[in-house]
Amino acid sequence: MERHYCHLHLISDATGETLIAVSRAVAAQYQGVSSLEHIYPLVRTRRQLERVINEIAAAPGMVLFTLVDQELAHRLEEGCKEIGAPCLSVLQPILNLFQSYLGAPATPRPGAQHMLNADYFRRIDALNFTLMHDDGQQSENYEAADVLLIGVSRTSKTPTSIYLANRGVKTANIPFVPDVPLPKSIESLRKPLVVGLLATPDSIVQVRRMRLLSLDADQDSPYVDRHVVADEVAQSRKLFERRGWATIDVTRRSIEETAAAIIDLYNIHRLKFISCS
């Protein structure tokens, strides 16, 4: 399939994370199109904006922005009109909806979503906890976790844990290794949601081979033997069923999708835990 390329200018008075997430979610719906991203964060002065407008003129394309300063927003729209570049405020339709429903205008605060509030420190605390409890570390402290992930090697335990931590969920993870008993502390856990991660043997073998290749290690190893891997997965599945733990098959899931499913399970688990406490 022939690919088409277009320039995409993302202009923000904060970090630009909102724009990046929204634009990539939309761009993913167009298989034959690749956007060349030009990202301009922390644009808060007229001088900075004029530089951005000049760069848009040098590489015309679509323009998305999140500028709460209305004077800057209007100047950008004027500049794009002169250039002939389509321009859209990502936040404005949502701000209009809020204003219509709440009956009050917003108070412009660039980067307000990144303020050092309680939620921010909660996420930092969760990230610190997760890093300290990665790959079976400090198992005696699992009761302090919100979520505990268990799975055979290469079932995305660590990246999923870190993603959850960025959402404020304290996550520990531990590898399942046949014939190696799990820590005794797991048997008495009450607060954490325990989730078993599963994947097809073929997908695990593929990821493991890539891992060995990156390490320049021997590819002729039981670690990537399909029969051995299939037995690992079967044993882990039996354990999860025996303990009554929730399971998620990560074979065709992105980290974000897996994390979303876990958060949904965790919210239900948390309500049950609170009601029983």
Side-chain angles (χ1 to χ4, degrees), residues 85-102:
C87 180
L88 176 68
S89 168
V90 171
L91 291 183
Q92 198 57 50
I94 303 174
L95 285 170
N96 291 342
L97 178 62
F98 269 64
Q99 181 171 333
S100 174
Y101 184 79
L102 298 175

Side-chain angles (χ1 to χ4, degrees), residues 51 58 67 76 80 89 96 118 171 179 181 187 201 222 242-243 260 267 269 273:
R51 178 181 60 82
L67 298 174
L76 177 60
C80 289
S89 168
N96 291 342
T171 310
D179 302 322
E187 298 177 4
R242 188 166 64 249
R243 294 292 182 89
N267 288 335
H269 172 81
F273 176 77

Side-chain angles (χ1 to χ4, degrees), residues 20-248:
I20 293 170
V22 170
S23 63
R24 290 181 180 174
V26 174
Q29 311 307 312
Y30 294 87
Q31 296 183 7
V33 178
S34 292
S35 56
L36 305 176
E37 294 178 344
H38 304 263
I39 303 172
Y40 313 95
L42 302 175
V43 177
R44 297 180 180 178
T45 68
R46 181 65 176 259
R47 182 177 179 181
Q48 291 172 321
L49 183 61
E50 292 300 333
R51 178 181 60 82
V52 170
I53 292 174
N54 289 335
E55 294 195 24
I56 296 172
M62 293 181 289
V63 178
L64 300 178
F65 69 92
T66 51
L67 298 174
V68 298
D69 186 311
Q70 289 303 300
E71 289 187 10
L72 293 181
H74 291 154
R75 171 60 191 130
L76 177 60
E77 290 172 339
E78 290 175 358
C80 289
K81 186 176 181 179
E82 295 170 1
I83 297 168
C87 180
L88 176 68
S89 168
V90 171
L91 291 183
Q92 198 57 50
I94 303 174
L95 285 170
N96 291 342
L97 178 62
F98 269 64
Q99 181 171 333
S100 174
Y101 184 79
L102 298 175
T107 302
R109 291 187 299 165
Q113 70 271 35
H114 302 294
M115 290 177 62
L116 303 184
N117 54 19
D119 181 64
Y120 173 84
F121 288 108
R122 180 173 64 88
R123 288 187 285 114
I124 294 300
D125 186 41
L127 185 57
N128 287 333
F129 179 92
T130 297
L131 293 175
M132 292 173 61
H133 295 80
D134 181 46
D135 202 31
Q137 298 182 77
Q138 299 192 27
S139 59
E140 71 281 357
N141 196 33
Y142 282 165
E143 186 62 36
D146 297 318
V147 171
L148 173 63
L149 304 181
I150 303 177
V152 303
S153 174
R154 302 297 115 184
T155 47
S156 303
K157 296 184 297 297
T158 294
T160 302
S161 297
I162 293 174
Y163 187 94
L164 287 168
N166 279 311
R167 296 288 298 274
V169 180
K170 291 183 178 179
T171 310
N173 74 79
I174 185 169
F176 173 84
V177 181
D179 302 322
V180 176
L182 295 175
K184 287 286 186 180
S185 60
I186 293 180
E187 298 177 4
S188 59
L189 294 179
R190 293 185 64 252
K191 176 177 172 275
L193 167 71
V194 182
V195 179
L197 300 183
L198 297 165
T200 64
D202 289 336
S203 66
I204 292 175
V205 168
Q206 183 179 15
V207 176
R208 288 184 179 183
R209 286 194 182 280
M210 294 298 295
R211 174 63 173 166
L212 291 181
L213 188 63
S214 68
L215 297 174
D216 197 24
D218 183 12
Q219 293 280 327
D220 187 17
S221 164
Y223 184 66
V224 292
D225 183 291
R226 192 192 181 284
H227 296 293
V228 174
V229 174
D231 183 60
E232 289 181 36
V233 174
Q235 288 191 48
S236 69
R237 187 187 297 274
K238 289 179 182 178
L239 171 68
F240 302 155
E241 291 176 353
R242 188 166 64 249
R243 294 292 182 89
W245 292 333
T247 60
I248 296 177

